[in-house]
Amino acid sequence: MARPGEAGEHLVTPEVLVVGSVSRDVTVAVDRFPAPGETVVGHSVSYGLGGKGANQAVASSLTGVPTSFLGCVGTDEAGSGLLSTLRERGVITKHTATVPGDSGSAHITVDADGENSISIVPAANRSVTPDVVARARDRNFDGASVVVAQGEIPVETLEELGRAVAASEARFVLNLAPAVEVSTECLAATDVLMVNQSEAEAVTRRHGLSSVGGRASFGEGAAGPGAPESLEDPESAGASVAERLTEMVRCAVVTLGDSGSIVAVRADRTTGPAIIRRIEAARVEPVVDTTGAGDAYAGVFAAALARRLRGVGGAGFRSRDPLPAETVASCAAIASREAAKVVVAAGASSSYSSFSVEEQ
């Protein structure tokens, strides 16, 4: 795959613009997580590129879809290293700023089952302000078809980004991880809200969304006809919460780990049930480290969506219309398949090799 490099970045028009966080990952491998007040001995420590924004930008870039990253690094030694690594992975960084102080960092503990516990220090990521969004808006988001953001940048920046993208021809994919408190207006401006189940439930509680369990209808190409039979299994619970989210957003994608993901689209928010599509998870062994798998999913999803929007020239997809359920489900299926490649290796974006946005 051709990579633009710093000198050639001005010649490349991105299809995906990621606005978000970039951090230095410090990952420690242990047999088990320590209990409160307990010290455990780790097997190894590694350092690498991290931050949900940077991970998603790398994943998108590794599909071959031109991808730009808009964020901030510090003036410390880590900052220059983070920029270099982004460029090496093909990400366009010409609008990534260097600000005084420390770069963001993430401190990750991974147990023997591949599960992780993460603490983040935002540092320079706090400098991704509404002014940064305003400058991107004035550049028409560099011509990107899809703009992506996450919950690791200031809430006021997400609010401004929602307004700005809604007024453009681009599509806004909001990965609300962590589930920070954005307004109803910001969610309404979102083309695709992507959350895991706990984040989805946090959003529904915060905004008082009603329970609509049992109203979901499964369209063609879904796991089967009919509404979920029970809320006991992850897929049924995911379908229920995804449909509730469509009372507020155009489209919701709820990721469920090894239970796959759920796509919910409501063409008309006032009448009729949402269309629900179940996406199966790809099965892989062994699971070494789940760090970065969700970011790979989001990045590949954004790249697949951008490629489909460019491929049809946006025909029939007006900027204020919900995306067709079959388009979103196709992108989610591709993202699920490609993200499964990540968990068999340690690290976040350091475990990314190459991804595809083609249907197989």
Side-chain angles (χ1 to χ4, degrees):
M1 179 187 66
R3 302 188 189 281
E6 187 174 4
E9 286 185 342
H10 67 286
L11 302 175
V12 180
T13 299
E15 296 181 36
V16 173
L17 173 64
V18 179
V19 183
S21 57
V22 55
S23 301
R24 184 192 192 214
D25 277 357
V26 182
T27 303
V28 176
V30 297
D31 286 330
R32 61 179 178 81
F33 295 122
E38 181 186 18
T39 298
V40 299
V41 177
H43 298 298
S44 63
V45 62
S46 61
Y47 306 89
L49 175 71
K52 289 184 177 297
N55 290 346
Q56 291 173 16
V58 168
S60 176
S61 175
L62 289 175
T63 68
V65 171
T67 302
S68 181
F69 177 71
L70 184 59
C72 295
V73 298
T75 49
D76 55 356
E77 184 177 350
S80 58
L82 293 171
L83 281 175
S84 295
T85 304
L86 282 167
R87 292 173 187 140
E88 288 167 3
R89 315 293 320 258
V91 177
I92 300 167
T93 61
K94 62 184 177 181
H95 295 303
T96 303
T98 300
V99 298
D102 293 331
S103 297
S105 60
H107 306 269
I108 305 163
T109 304
V110 181
D111 73 4
D113 294 324
E115 295 299 323
N116 61 62
S117 175
I118 305 173
S119 300
I120 64 171
V121 181
N125 293 311
R126 292 194 177 98
S127 295
V128 186
T129 62
D131 288 342
V132 172
V133 172
R135 290 192 290 271
R137 178 201 61 210
D138 293 344
R139 299 191 306 270
N140 194 30
F141 299 107
D142 301 328
S145 299
V146 176
V147 177
V148 186
Q150 323 76 36
E152 290 185 344
I153 56 177
V155 169
E156 57 268 25
T157 304
L158 295 176
E159 299 282 347
E160 180 62 25
L161 190 60
R163 288 188 288 269
V165 178
S168 75
E169 293 301 313
R171 296 295 187 142
F172 185 30
V173 176
L174 176 58
N175 176 214
L176 204 57
V180 294
E181 295 191 30
V182 296
S183 68
T184 302
E185 291 73 21
C186 181
L187 292 172
T190 300
D191 290 285
V192 180
L193 175 66
M194 184 176 294
V195 284
N196 64 25
Q197 190 168 347
S198 64
E199 292 156 354
E201 290 169 350
V203 173
T204 60
R205 286 195 303 270
R206 184 174 299 135
H207 293 277
L209 297 181
S210 63
S211 174
V212 290
R215 278 179 43 206
S217 67
F218 287 80
E220 294 297 323
E229 296 178 358
S230 167
L231 295 185
E232 295 301 316
D233 64 280
E235 288 187 10
S236 296
S240 177
V241 73
E243 186 178 24
R244 271 180 278 161
L245 288 171
T246 62
E247 295 180 25
M248 188 179 303
V249 300
R250 304 176 185 188
C251 170
V253 177
V254 179
T255 58
L256 305 171
D258 60 8
S259 295
S261 48
I262 301 290
V263 169
V265 177
R266 192 190 301 276
D268 185 341
R269 288 181 230 165
T270 60
T271 61
I275 297 171
I276 307 291
R277 302 290 175 85
R278 289 174 171 168
I279 308 300
E280 296 292 333
R283 302 300 174 186
V284 293
E285 293 290 345
V287 175
V288 175
D289 183 0
T290 60
T291 306
D295 295 332
Y297 185 112
V300 172
F301 178 94
L305 179 59
R307 187 50 52 92
R308 279 150 184 75
L309 292 173
R310 289 288 173 98
V312 298
F317 297 168
R318 293 182 302 172
S319 62
R320 294 187 182 276
D321 286 347
L323 293 162
E326 57 270 21
T327 299
V328 181
S330 171
C331 294
I334 291 167
S336 181
R337 179 194 72 210
E338 297 300 301
K341 299 175 180 179
V342 174
V343 302
V344 297
S349 65
S350 59
S351 67
Y352 300 178
S353 54
S354 65
F355 299 118
S356 170
V357 292
E358 302 303 321
E359 295 188 47
Q360 295 178 2

